[in-house]
């Protein structure tokens, strides 16, 4: 059986490698999205570095601009910047499809070569079987992973947390800081007035001392 499959190993091995890479791309995207969705269920205590950086960046933007009006765009940019080994999710998705098509193309070339050279059908049929099985596995895993739906769920979870939890918390913190600063200013107000009064009293006392001194001089003279 292996002799039949690998009579032309340069074709069969190439086809199998391309199909495997395509499936690996699909599974990698699914694992990443599933992990992020699971982490977003408890964003306040997440240990994911990517999500922690997202929270820090959002907090910094809110402090600089006194709020964030386009949270959905902010989240979309984050999702578009997600990468696996330097490749974005959209790039991996397209690459997976191209790898499958390339494997089918190479299998077709191998089958045509076998027909032209007059090989027995038993050596040609495996290329068609591998092509059909590869396409079935690709579409089955693609529908199972369902990157588009997972990306929507991830987007919804992030927008919900940033808009309904983190943004409100930042606003409350800013209000608390303003209230504390206002109380400090009110507490410092009486102190400043008392200091001014003491200063005025000191000035009057000094003037009275000078007047008393001049009177004493006149009396002694």
């Amino acid at each position: 059986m292996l002799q039949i499959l690998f009579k032309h190993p340069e074709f069969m091995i190439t086809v199998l490698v391309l199909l495997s890479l395509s499936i690996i791309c699909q599974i990698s995207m699914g694992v990443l999205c599933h992990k992020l969705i699971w982490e977003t269920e408890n964003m306040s205590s997440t240990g994911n570095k990517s999500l922690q950086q997202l929270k820090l960046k959002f907090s910094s933007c809110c402090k600089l601009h006194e709020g964030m009006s386009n949270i959905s765009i902010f989240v979309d940019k984050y999702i578009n910047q997600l990468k696996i080994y330097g490749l974005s999710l959209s790039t991996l998705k397209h690459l997976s499809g191209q790898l499958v098509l390339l494997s089918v193309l190479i299998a077709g070339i191998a089958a045509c070569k076998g027909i032209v050279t007059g090989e027995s059908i038993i050596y040609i049929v495996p290329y068609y079987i591998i092509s059909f099985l590869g396409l079935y596995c690709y579409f089955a895993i693609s529908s199972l992973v369902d990157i588009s739906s997972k990306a929507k769920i991830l987007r919804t979870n992030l927008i919900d947390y940033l808009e309904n939890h983190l943004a409100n918390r930042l606003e409350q913190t800013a209000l608390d800081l303003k209230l504390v600063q206002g109380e400090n200013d009110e507490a410092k107000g009486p102190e400043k007035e008392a200091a001014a009064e003491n200063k005025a009293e000191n000035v009057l006392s000094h003037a009275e001392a000078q007047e008393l001194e001049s009177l004493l001089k006149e009396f002694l003279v």
Side-chain angles (χ1 to χ4, degrees):
M1 185 65 181
L2 291 176
Q3 292 178 352
I4 296 174
L5 290 174
F6 293 97
K7 183 177 181 179
H8 300 287
E10 66 277 9
F11 290 111
M12 187 59 70
I13 291 175
T14 303
V15 170
L16 293 176
V17 168
L18 291 174
L19 287 173
S20 300
L21 290 174
S22 175
I23 292 172
I24 289 172
C25 289
Q26 291 283 342
I27 294 174
S28 299
M29 290 187 293
V31 169
L32 176 64
C33 290
H34 179 75
K35 183 178 180 181
L36 289 175
I37 290 172
W38 185 79
E39 290 285 347
T40 54
E41 296 295 335
N42 192 13
M43 279 284 289
S44 58
S45 60
T46 180
N48 187 278
K49 292 183 179 180
S50 179
L51 294 176
Q52 288 177 346
Q53 291 175 356
L54 173 69
K55 292 196 295 183
L56 289 174
K57 187 176 180 180
F58 181 81
S59 301
S60 300
C61 290
C62 287
K63 290 177 182 178
L64 289 174
H65 303 289
E66 296 183 354
M68 178 72 69
S69 58
N70 296 320
I71 296 178
S72 58
I73 296 176
F74 183 83
V75 172
D76 289 337
K77 289 177 65 177
Y78 167 76
I79 294 175
N80 292 333
Q81 291 173 356
L82 290 174
K83 293 183 179 181
I84 301 175
Y85 298 112
L87 299 174
S88 64
L89 294 182
S90 60
T91 302
L92 277 175
K93 187 175 181 180
H94 293 305
L95 180 61
S96 178
Q98 293 300 318
L99 289 173
V100 168
L101 294 177
L102 186 58
S103 68
V104 172
L105 176 62
I106 293 175
I109 293 172
C112 291
K113 182 181 178 181
I115 294 172
V116 171
T117 56
E119 292 182 356
S120 174
I121 192 171
I122 197 172
Y123 295 107
I124 298 173
V125 169
Y127 293 107
Y128 291 102
I129 294 175
I130 293 296
S131 298
F132 290 135
L133 287 176
L135 289 172
Y136 172 78
C137 290
Y138 171 78
F139 287 110
I141 294 175
S142 179
S143 61
L144 182 64
V145 172
D146 199 2
I147 299 299
S148 299
S149 296
K150 282 184 170 57
K152 290 180 181 178
I153 295 173
L154 178 61
R155 182 177 184 273
T156 302
N157 289 352
L158 289 174
I159 291 176
D160 175 63
Y161 174 75
L162 295 178
E163 186 172 356
N164 298 325
H165 296 81
L166 187 57
N168 292 335
R169 191 182 305 169
L170 292 173
E171 290 178 1
Q172 186 62 42
T173 302
L175 290 174
D176 292 341
L177 288 174
K178 289 181 179 179
L179 289 174
V180 170
Q181 290 176 355
E183 290 176 357
N184 290 336
D185 292 339
E186 291 178 359
K188 290 179 180 179
E191 294 180 359
K192 291 180 179 179
E193 293 177 358
E197 291 177 359
N198 291 332
K199 186 176 180 181
E201 290 177 357
N202 292 333
V203 171
L204 292 174
S205 299
H206 183 65
E208 291 175 353
Q210 288 182 347
E211 185 178 356
L212 182 59
E213 184 179 357
S214 61
L215 292 172
L216 288 172
K217 287 180 180 180
E218 291 177 359
F219 179 75
L220 292 174
V221 172

